[in-house]
Amino acid sequence: MTVVIQRRLRQPRGLQLVVPVGSVVVAFGVMTLVLLATHHPPGHTFRRLIDAGFVGTNSLNATFVSATPLAFTGLCAAVAFRMNLFNIGGEGQLYAGAILGAGAAILIGDVTNWVSIPVMLVAGAAGGAAFALIPGVLRAFLSTNEIITSLMLNYVAVLVLDYLIFDSESYWRDTSSATAKVFPQGKTLPGPGWPVSHLGSLVVPFGFSLAVVLAVVLWLLYSRTRFGFEVAVIGDSPRAATYAGMRTRRKILAVMALSGAVAGIGGASQDGDFRHLLDPRGLTQAGYGYAGIVIAALARYNPFAVVLVAFLLGGLQNAGYTLQGADFPSGLVGVMQGLILFCALGGELLVRYRLRWVRSPRRTAGAEAAA
């Protein structure tokens, strides 16, 4: 018998619900075996995992904070992937948005949020879009693989970010205090921080609310406009789109710019919502952009699902921080998180493909000869 993988021509709706649930069940089953092998009680560990990520006001508030940048980078990846453009540079585009967003806030000084927030959002979106247009132009006019160019630009953005704070006396670096001269850091952004929304005892950052609004806008753009229709056609069949007179190059540039702008807004949100300065180490250690790729894949490029998956992944991250300790190494936390993501992505293959058992040709011919 031979196993053959075939692409499904039609994906049953029931399978789209059963497979993700089954993937999570399998992940927890494998995690149980890992915990037993490392002498950790599974029931107690899972209870701590859920309590630390999703139960209680403090846990949920921390989850909203962790989910905010993940939602933006997930939407960034989903916007491009819908057209089969693989923008792997969400990380660098988020950094570019953080740089320009912080610079704009410092430039305008101490003003009200009614002025500072729109200015930071526009600057962040412009920075992310400009950074994403580099691989976009190379793909549109030189047929360069955008995976490689956007990925390499992530490292360029990291170097620029470090240079602005650690290796120069730039406009973004604080040089006014003795402490800042010894321990380099960015200038504190003037004015009040971005507002928060209160849902009872829950505190929702402005950036997370903005990500939800962006998800609605992107869904309307891709499902209810001519732009979204043409993006879908180009993604499915570029030759058919060209034959129909669609301007493929313009769409590539537009989609890449839109994708980068979403990530850039996420960078501005990091400045305004949480850090209140340009923080290279905090941004580069988080790995928001790479997690966003996984989130977009798990959400199947649906904007609403991206926000939901970002929330779930943010809860898992917070739970991982809580579990870490002398009796629970950080490596084991990473294994648990990786198992959930690996099983979820593996289950996604069962939605798009099916496995068929085919009898070996030699055995079939031998059976016919014997008959």
Side-chain angles (χ1 to χ4, degrees):
M1 300 291 287
T2 304
V3 179
V4 178
I5 301 177
Q6 293 182 337
R7 187 177 183 89
R8 296 180 185 273
L9 299 179
R10 190 177 68 88
Q11 299 175 1
R13 291 188 176 181
L15 204 61
Q16 297 178 12
L17 176 63
V18 172
V19 169
V21 174
S23 299
V24 174
V25 172
V26 171
F28 275 88
V30 178
M31 287 164 56
T32 300
L33 297 178
V34 172
L35 291 172
L36 290 173
T38 54
H39 307 289
H40 292 90
H44 177 66
T45 302
F46 291 151
R47 185 164 55 252
R48 289 179 60 192
L49 184 74
I50 295 173
D51 290 345
F54 307 103
V55 177
T57 302
N58 293 333
S59 298
L60 287 174
N61 288 339
T63 296
F64 278 118
V65 172
S66 298
T68 299
L70 298 178
F72 282 110
T73 53
L75 289 172
C76 162
V79 165
F81 290 176
R82 290 285 290 266
M83 192 174 152
N84 281 335
L85 286 174
F86 297 96
N87 180 14
I88 313 299
E91 187 93 359
Q93 292 146 27
L94 183 137
Y95 299 158
I99 292 171
L100 288 193
I106 296 170
L107 179 64
I108 62 176
D110 189 2
V111 295
T112 64
N113 279 335
W114 292 101
V115 177
S116 63
I117 291 178
V119 169
M120 289 183 67
L121 291 178
V122 171
F131 216 66
L133 277 175
I134 298 174
V137 170
L138 294 175
R139 166 63 189 272
F141 294 97
L142 300 177
S143 299
T144 305
N145 190 322
E146 75 278 4
I147 298 176
I148 298 174
T149 53
S150 60
L151 178 62
M152 293 298 101
L153 283 172
N154 288 338
Y155 300 98
V156 174
V158 171
L159 294 174
V160 171
L161 197 59
D162 287 342
Y163 174 78
L164 293 176
I165 303 301
F166 299 125
D167 300 322
S168 68
E169 295 185 1
S170 69
Y171 181 73
W172 287 262
R173 179 174 173 176
D174 182 10
T175 57
S176 60
S177 63
T179 304
K181 292 179 180 179
V182 178
F183 302 100
Q185 64 182 28
K187 293 178 181 177
T188 302
L189 302 186
W194 288 12
V196 296
S197 301
H198 293 273
L199 299 176
S201 58
L202 296 179
V203 179
V204 181
F206 179 82
F208 188 85
S209 302
L210 183 60
V212 175
V213 173
L214 271 177
V216 175
V217 173
L218 291 174
W219 179 79
L220 292 173
L221 179 66
Y222 275 86
S223 63
R224 295 292 186 271
T225 65
R226 177 180 175 179
F227 175 86
F229 172 75
E230 292 186 353
V231 164
V233 173
I234 295 172
D236 290 337
S237 179
R239 291 184 178 180
T242 302
Y243 180 78
M246 298 180 184
R247 298 179 176 179
T248 305
R249 288 179 175 175
R250 288 190 179 183
K251 287 297 181 296
I252 291 175
L253 298 178
V255 169
M256 288 296 290
L258 178 61
S259 176
V262 172
I265 292 174
S269 168
Q270 284 295 291
D271 295 334
D273 271 317
F274 311 118
R275 305 181 186 277
H276 308 297
L277 50 80
L278 188 61
D279 179 18
R281 288 182 178 172
L283 288 172
T284 56
Q285 290 175 355
Y288 296 131
Y290 302 108
I293 297 170
V294 176
I295 290 170
L298 291 176
R300 308 190 70 208
Y301 317 144
N302 183 297
F304 300 121
V306 164
V307 176
L308 177 60
V309 175
F311 180 80
L312 296 176
L313 190 59
L316 288 177
Q317 287 185 350
N318 288 331
Y321 298 143
T322 304
L323 286 176
Q324 291 180 19
D327 60 335
F328 207 96
S330 59
L332 188 56
V333 173
V335 169
M336 294 175 62
Q337 293 174 341
L339 282 173
I340 294 176
L341 297 177
F342 180 79
C343 291
L345 289 174
E348 178 67 16
L349 292 177
L350 297 179
V351 176
R352 299 186 178 189
Y353 300 89
R354 61 180 178 181
L355 303 179
R356 291 191 60 187
W357 297 90
V358 180
R359 299 183 64 179
S360 175
R362 290 184 177 180
R363 292 185 179 181
T364 302
E368 292 178 352

